[in-house]
Amino acid sequence: DAKTTQPNSMESNEEEPVHLPCNHSTISGTDYIHWYRQLPSQGPEYVIHGLTSNVNNRMASLAIAEDRKSSTLILHRATLRDAAVYYCILGGDNYGQNFVFGPGTRLSVLP
Amino acid sequence: GAVVSQHPSWVICKSGTSVKIECRSLDFQATTMFWYRQFPKQSLMLMATSNEGSKATYEQGVEKDKFLINHASLTLSTLTVTSAHPEDSSFYICSARDWGARDGNTIYFGEGSWLTVV
């Protein structure tokens, strides 16, 4: 499975934008880039995913580098509820393929 | 969006007993579900892939006779921890892919089940 590299932790102030980076230099042509987040004592929550083009949804934006070897999850205005561990995961379109979780980035949001 | 639900959300059992955790896909059919385990301050570790109507596929190092998985229907997979011991205490999470959805590449996770063995 292609691996991803994320910073262990990041801090942000409330109501400021947050840019969470992810490196995936060994990504294959069919790998989608998925982002999930996990709050304490909860299962992972879907945030966003994309293949080549930048993506926006109500939770966040995903900026994908032209060579697809890196991506950035953008939270436009961090709130205290956004404090969580964010996971960047690569996954193909094989139905039986599972997701391999790395350590993720622990985001702290300061009031 | 698709919903995956687990039950119970937490359970305490005595050492040596067995406990069953259920994972349901509430509004879609899932021929494949995944079971993860997560210890405190660690990431999720895949335990096994549950296939409807066939045997589960276990990851290396996971005892199939201890962690029994049954996927008898398209919306239900169960994980039974047999002869539980305190070291089995963990957060167990299931997931499933809604292949029929427009965004069929997304995997949805259950809320997780805390198991404490005393």
Side-chain angles (χ1 to χ4, degrees):
Chain A
D1 297 316
K3 293 184 178 180
T4 63
T5 304
Q6 300 176 251
N8 289 334
S9 63
M10 290 185 65
E11 268 188 5
S12 172
N13 293 319
E14 197 175 10
E15 298 191 0
E16 291 186 354
V18 182
H19 291 233
L20 297 167
C22 180
N23 288 321
H24 30 78
S25 59
T26 60
I27 189 171
S28 72
T30 58
D31 279 335
Y32 283 76
I33 302 160
H34 300 260
W35 283 84
Y36 284 79
R37 70 182 185 181
Q38 187 179 25
L39 278 67
S41 298
Q42 295 186 25
E45 175 188 24
Y46 169 78
V47 178
I48 201 167
H49 78 282
L51 184 61
T52 56
S53 303
N54 295 343
V55 184
N56 299 297
N57 66 20
R58 63 176 179 82
M59 290 182 69
S61 294
L62 176 60
I64 302 173
E66 195 169 335
D67 62 6
R68 299 209 327 125
K69 293 185 177 182
S70 65
S71 61
T72 302
L73 177 70
I74 303 167
L75 305 179
H76 296 286
R77 286 184 65 198
T79 69
L80 297 178
R81 289 182 295 178
D82 291 324
V85 178
Y86 286 78
Y87 298 100
C88 168
I89 304 165
L90 302 182
D93 57 1
N94 181 344
Y95 180 75
Q97 183 181 34
N98 69 83
F99 281 174
V100 177
F101 284 78
T105 296
R106 182 174 299 277
L107 175 65
S108 301
V109 180
L110 306 177
Chain B
V3 177
V4 174
S5 180
Q6 287 183 238
H7 178 81
S9 55
W10 61 270
V11 58
I12 301 173
C13 71
K14 291 184 178 180
S15 185
T17 63
S18 297
V19 62
K20 180 185 291 186
I21 301 171
E22 296 184 345
C23 177
R24 295 181 184 274
S25 56
L26 296 186
D27 51 1
F28 66 99
Q29 294 182 335
T31 56
T32 300
M33 292 183 175
F34 306 98
W35 286 97
Y36 293 82
R37 180 168 54 183
Q38 185 176 32
F39 292 108
K41 298 191 181 300
Q42 294 186 23
S43 189
L44 284 74
M45 294 295 294
L46 179 69
M47 298 176 66
T49 301
S50 171
N51 303 298
E52 187 267 336
S54 65
K55 292 182 179 180
T57 304
Y58 290 82
E59 295 299 300
Q60 190 173 7
V62 178
E63 299 176 58
K64 62 180 182 180
D65 295 329
K66 181 171 183 61
F67 298 99
L68 300 179
I69 292 173
N70 184 284
H71 195 154
S73 79
L74 286 171
T75 59
L76 174 64
S77 175
T78 60
L79 169 68
T80 301
V81 183
T82 63
S83 186
H85 291 285
E87 56 265 30
D88 298 324
S89 299
S90 186
F91 191 47
Y92 292 86
I93 307 168
C94 71
S95 69
R97 190 190 295 253
D98 184 4
W99 194 241
R102 183 174 61 86
D103 59 345
N105 284 297
T106 300
I107 292 181
Y108 295 94
F109 290 82
E111 313 94 322
S113 299
W114 279 105
L115 169 63
T116 300
V117 185
V118 297

